[in-house]
């Protein structure tokens, strides 16, 4: 294998790796957006749940059972 052939192969490998890194970076950015959207939805649902829980039936009064 000549030095020139070896150099061409290394350049091709570097170009391929650069392309793969860019694609992975794009995928990571897209997934991060999805995570942030999911987190925002979870926060809204948690807030709604807590609000509904506060406005739901109050705790029943403590009374003596009928058999006393």
């Amino acid at each position: 294998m000549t030095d020139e052939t070896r150099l061409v192969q290394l350049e091709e490998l570097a170009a391929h790796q650069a392309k793969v890194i860019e694609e992975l970076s794009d995928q990571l950015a897209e997934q991060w957006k999805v995570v942030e959207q999911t987190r925002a939805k979870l926060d809204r649902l948690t807030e709604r749940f807590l609000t509904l829980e506060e406005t739901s039936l109050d705790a029943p009064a403590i009374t003596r059972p009928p058999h006393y």
Side-chain angles (χ1 to χ4, degrees):
M1 179 181 304
T2 66
D3 288 341
E4 186 176 338
T5 304
R6 189 166 174 238
L7 182 61
V8 168
Q9 287 178 344
L10 288 173
E11 288 174 344
E12 288 174 353
L13 178 63
H16 176 70
Q17 289 177 344
K19 181 182 176 194
V20 169
I21 289 171
E22 185 177 338
E23 289 172 355
L24 289 172
S25 178
D26 292 344
Q27 284 293 323
L28 182 62
E30 188 64 34
Q31 289 298 311
W32 188 253
K33 288 178 189 176
V34 171
V35 167
E36 288 298 320
Q37 291 170 351
T38 304
R39 183 179 296 159
K41 284 180 184 179
L42 178 61
D43 289 343
R44 288 193 307 269
L45 286 172
T46 301
E47 189 63 35
R48 283 182 63 192
F49 176 77
L50 292 174
T51 301
L52 287 172
E53 191 175 54
E54 289 173 359
T55 59
S56 67
L57 298 175
D58 293 328
I62 298 175
T63 58
R64 292 179 57 165
H67 61 277
Y68 278 102

